[in-house]
Structure formats: structure tokens, C-alpha cells
DNA sequence: CCATTTATGTTATAATATAACGCTCATGTT
DNA sequence: AACATGAGCGTTATATTATAACATAAATGG
């Protein structure tokens, strides 16, 4: 189904080291468990459900309880190290650097790969529209489902 | 919590009659059950969960099974008569006319009211960005959570 | 070393959503 | 009318996603 078009080991390593940095900066601890969960999610760029994370972890060690994984997910979400795909109840490791801006998620319905792109113009439009309606944005979700380039070319 | 700032009965009536039209145009049937579910959702502009819909219906007649409500929801979603708030697993009746464009949902975290606005510019930006990445959009989700004007003024 | 917070473990359960199967009823056809 | 078809719905069971409540351990700051 999914074939990485890049050196994924390198990709994961980079992600973990960025996560370590981010936690250090914020004075929070990236514990082994948290690193494990993050690594499980980062196994691919495909969105993964919480219970699939449990399976992946069970394959390499003791099976964590759901609450354990959800607790870690909360931590990782707060630290912007993973994103929740709301339209799928699934998670992906954050693939790009975005300070406070909201990424647009491109979700392939065929292979499941989730790509992140920064779209400052769209964010600005939405911010303006919200303001015009007297609405104060706390959180923005932009998810586009469809067909990725790789799958379109098959 | 929520106090309508308008004549809601009128609002619902309009919604139902629009739904009837839409179904007629598409040659599908807006059965009593479907009308009931739609009316339950449209009781307010607050997003409502599937099981809360069941409660509302149970208050006025026999309690429907979850699958029943979900089936109706599928129908209503397909016909664009309701929207699913993905970030909340909840539903609202479609409040405005939008041909094929995607509405932006403004979700108040305080009162739960969901407002719909059309944001052609943002849609266009996202479409362009997707195209630039070779991504073909099938479905777009834009959800802004925050504080609505009414709640900000309290 | 103690107090406090943060992290984790354990058990149970809540909330959301779908599968599978069969019956009924409207509709169109012969 | 008799029949075939498919849409709508009923019923039972179960899958999937997420959280509550309470106990223990481990890190951190004074």
C-alpha cells in the first residue's frame, strides 16, 4: 500500500530530536514512554488510530493500556508534536515546523498518507472572516481529504 | 446557557421546507423519521451528538436504536442537510445555502452554538495549495473553535 | 529530607459508531 | 393483479474510540 519515497529512518530520527529540543525548551520531559508512542506514530506518514498505536507498542514490549496511550497523546498534542486528524480519529507525527500557525492537512483517502502544508493566506482569510463575525478563534482545523499525487499516478 | 436571539420556530420551519425541496429535487424521500431527526437536530444551533438526538426523539416517541439515527444522519449528510462537526463528533442542521462550496464552521466553546459562514477566498487558497501539491480534494473540513460574539460580551 | 507535582499503573466504564440479517412497503413492470 | 426490485426500517449484537477514578512511583524544588 504505502511505499516511502524517502529514507524514513532519517526522517524519524530528525523528528525525535526535534521533539527533544521542543520539550527541553518548554521544560517538559520527553520520557521513554512518550518517545515510544511518538516513534510508533512516526513509523510512517499514515494516520494511525490510538488502538493501532497500542498494537505497535505491544509488538515491541508490554501492551500499554488505552488510557496510557491517550495520556501520552494529550501530551504530544499539547506540545504540537503530533496532530489529530479529526475527520478520522487518528494521529500523525508533526512533519514540519510551524510556530503558532495552523497547518493544512492533506489526507490521502487511498494510501492514508497525511501531508502538512502551511497556508498563511488561508489562515489570514479565516482570521479576518472570524473577526468580521465577532468570533475569537482558539483552535483551527483544516483537513482536506482526497487523492495524493502518488496515488493519482497509479 | 443558550438563548436564541431569533424566532427559532420560524427558523426550523424554513429549514424543514428547504430540506423537502432539496429531497424532491434529488428524487429522494424525506420520510417522517428523517424529518424527526432533522427537527431534533434543529432544535437549536448547538451541535448535538447522535445519542443526544436519540434522547430528544425518545422524549417525543419510541426510542430509536443508535443505528437508526446514524442511518438517518448518513442520509442527511449526503444531502447536505446537516453537517458533522468532526472535532466534536456532533451534528448541526445546515443553516445556509451553499451550492458546492464548503462552509467554514464557527464553533463556540462556551455556548456550543455553531455558525456557518461562506469563505470563498479561503476555499480558493486551499484549492490552489492542494493543486500545487498535486493533491485532488474530495472533501474539505474547516472548523474554527473559539468564542462567539454573544459569549464574548458576557 | 520532605513536600509537591508530574508521571505512570490498574481497573472499570463511557461514548461513539457499525455489522449482519430480515422484514415491510413503495414503485415500476409485465 | 402478480411479481420483482430496491429503499427504508427494525432488531440484536458488537466494534471502535475515549475517559473516570483511584492508587503508586518517580522527579523536582525547597
Amino acid at each position: 500500500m504505502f511505499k516511502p519515497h524517502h529514507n524514513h529512518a532519517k526522517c524519524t530520527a530528525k523528528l525525535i530530536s526535534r521533539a527533544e529540543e521542543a520539550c527541553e525548551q518548554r521544560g517538559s520531559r520527553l520520557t521513554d514512554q512518550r518517545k515510544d508512542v511518538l516513534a510508533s506514530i512516526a513509523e510512517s506518514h499514515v494516520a494511525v488510530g490510538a488502538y493501532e498505536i497500542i498494537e505497535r507498542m505491544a509488538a515491541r514490549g508490554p501492551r500499554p493500556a488505552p488510557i496510557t496511550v491517550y495520556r501520552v497523546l494529550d501530551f504530544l498534542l499539547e506540545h504540537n508534536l503530533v496532530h489529530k486528524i479529526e475527520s478520522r480519529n487518528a494521529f500523525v507525527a508533526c512533519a514540519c515546523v510551524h510556530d503558532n500557525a495552523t497547518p493544512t492537512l492533506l489526507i490521502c483517502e487511498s494510501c492514508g498518507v497525511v501531508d502538512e502544508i502551511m497556508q498563511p493566506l488561508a489562515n489570514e482569510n479565516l482570521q479576518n472572516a472570524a473577526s468580521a463575525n465577532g468570533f475569537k478563534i482558539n483552535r483551527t482545523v483544516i483537513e482536506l481529504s482526497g487523492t495524493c499525487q502518488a496515488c493519482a499516478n497509479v
Side-chain angles (χ1 to χ4, degrees), chain A:
Chain A
M1 186 167 163
F2 174 63
K3 191 142 149 286
H5 302 87
H6 62 283
N7 181 339
H8 192 65
K10 205 180 249 179
C11 182
T12 304
K14 193 169 167 188
L15 197 148
I16 298 276
S17 86
R18 266 209 291 113
E20 274 164 343
E21 264 179 62
C23 286
E24 196 159 355
Q25 276 191 357
R26 290 190 41 177
S28 22
R29 297 189 297 142
L30 188 64
T31 62
D32 284 353
Q33 200 173 53
R34 289 168 177 171
K35 224 180 282 185
D36 273 5
V37 171
L38 183 55
S40 295
I41 298 170
E43 272 182 24
S44 78
H45 298 283
V46 174
V48 55
Y51 283 75
E52 168 64 18
I53 294 171
I54 292 177
E55 292 308 317
R56 289 184 185 179
M57 292 178 76
R60 284 183 279 103
R63 171 180 302 261
I67 185 74
T68 298
V69 168
Y70 279 103
R71 278 200 282 231
V72 172
L73 283 171
D74 281 347
F75 174 89
L76 297 173
L77 287 167
E78 265 169 25
H79 287 73
N80 257 287
L81 298 173
V82 312
H83 299 300
K84 179 168 188 181
I85 315 293
E86 296 288 355
S87 55
R88 297 198 151 204
N89 300 318
F91 306 84
V92 280
C94 173
C96 70
V97 183
H98 36 79
D99 306 300
N100 278 327
T102 305
T104 295
L105 301 176
L106 305 178
I107 305 151
C108 182
E109 290 165 358
S110 164
C111 67
V113 166
V114 177
D115 196 10
E116 270 181 69
I117 62 176
M118 294 313 293
Q119 204 49 17
L121 249 68
N123 283 314
E124 203 180 316
N125 287 337
L126 294 174
Q127 179 57 64
N128 291 340
S131 296
N133 284 269
F135 190 91
K136 183 152 172 288
I137 301 176
N138 178 41
R139 187 186 167 215
T140 299
V141 173
I142 309 177
E143 297 179 4
L144 310 182
S145 306
T147 311
C148 75
Q149 190 154 40
C151 287
N153 289 339
V154 171

